[in-house]
């Protein structure tokens, strides 16, 4: 697969970098893809100070765009979660962030652009990381 993609990522507070990296690698493998096709990475602004996010940016040389809960909450997604809404103020972080990052002119990509919905991994320490992948263009 050589299509350009956007990653939307979410995680529990203090999720280790290894868990975040593993969930992304698993999603890319499912697509038969790798980091060379990733054009955008996004998450919620609550995660801007997460060590794992900072490490991901440094290791992969990518910038992560951070969206507010209000921006993310405006995006229709296939798997909204009341638990996510309770903690973040939006029913979706990874799916909505992927669609916003894959969109253009401030508009999210359509739900049909999601190639992987909410792929979740619980790390050995019990913390969760989630990634969604959307096609760009």
């Amino acid at each position: 697969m050589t299509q350009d993609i956007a990653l939307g990522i979410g995680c529990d507070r203090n999720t280790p970098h290894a868990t975040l990296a593993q969930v992304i690698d698993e999603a890319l493998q499912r697509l038969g893809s790798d980091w060379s096709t990733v054009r955008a990475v996004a998450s919620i602004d609550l995660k801007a100070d997460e060590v794992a996010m900072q490490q991901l940016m440094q290791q992969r040389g990518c910038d992560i765009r951070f969206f507010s809960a209000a921006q993310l909450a405006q995006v229709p997604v296939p798997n909204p979660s009341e638990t996510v809404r309770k903690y973040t103020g939006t029913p979706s972080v990874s799916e909505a962030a992927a669609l916003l990052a894959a969109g253009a002119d401030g508009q999210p990509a359509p739900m049909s652009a999601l190639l992987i919905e909410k792929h979740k991994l619980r790390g050995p320490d019990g913390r969760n990381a989630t990634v969604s992948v959307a096609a760009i263009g």
Side-chain angles (χ1 to χ4, degrees):
M1 175 180 185
T2 56
Q3 183 169 27
D4 289 348
I5 56 175
L7 304 179
I9 51 180
C11 63
D12 291 341
R13 181 60 64 194
N14 299 316
T15 296
H17 173 260
T19 302
L20 196 59
Q22 183 180 343
V23 78
I24 292 168
D25 289 344
E26 286 177 4
L28 292 173
Q29 284 173 356
R30 271 181 51 193
L31 289 174
S33 192
D34 60 41
W35 268 97
S36 68
T37 62
V38 176
R39 296 289 169 262
V41 182
S43 189
I44 190 168
D45 57 9
L46 295 173
K47 300 298 178 184
D49 64 346
E50 273 298 324
V51 172
M53 297 275 185
Q54 304 300 323
Q55 290 173 325
L56 183 71
M57 285 193 282
Q58 291 168 352
Q59 189 184 64
R60 294 294 179 182
C62 66
D63 287 328
I64 299 179
R65 290 171 57 196
F66 294 100
F67 295 104
S68 69
Q71 289 172 298
L72 295 169
Q74 297 301 310
V75 181
V77 296
N79 301 292
S81 164
E82 280 309 310
T83 301
V84 172
R85 184 195 309 267
K86 185 170 86 173
Y87 288 105
T88 66
T90 176
S92 172
V93 172
S94 71
E95 289 176 335
L99 290 171
L100 278 170
D105 302 323
Q107 295 300 308
M111 221 187 302
S112 59
L114 278 176
L115 303 173
I116 291 190
E117 301 173 3
K118 218 171 174 179
H119 176 65
K120 193 169 168 181
L121 175 72
R122 182 181 293 269
D125 64 353
R127 290 190 171 85
N128 295 298
T130 308
V131 64
S132 297
V133 182
I136 296 176

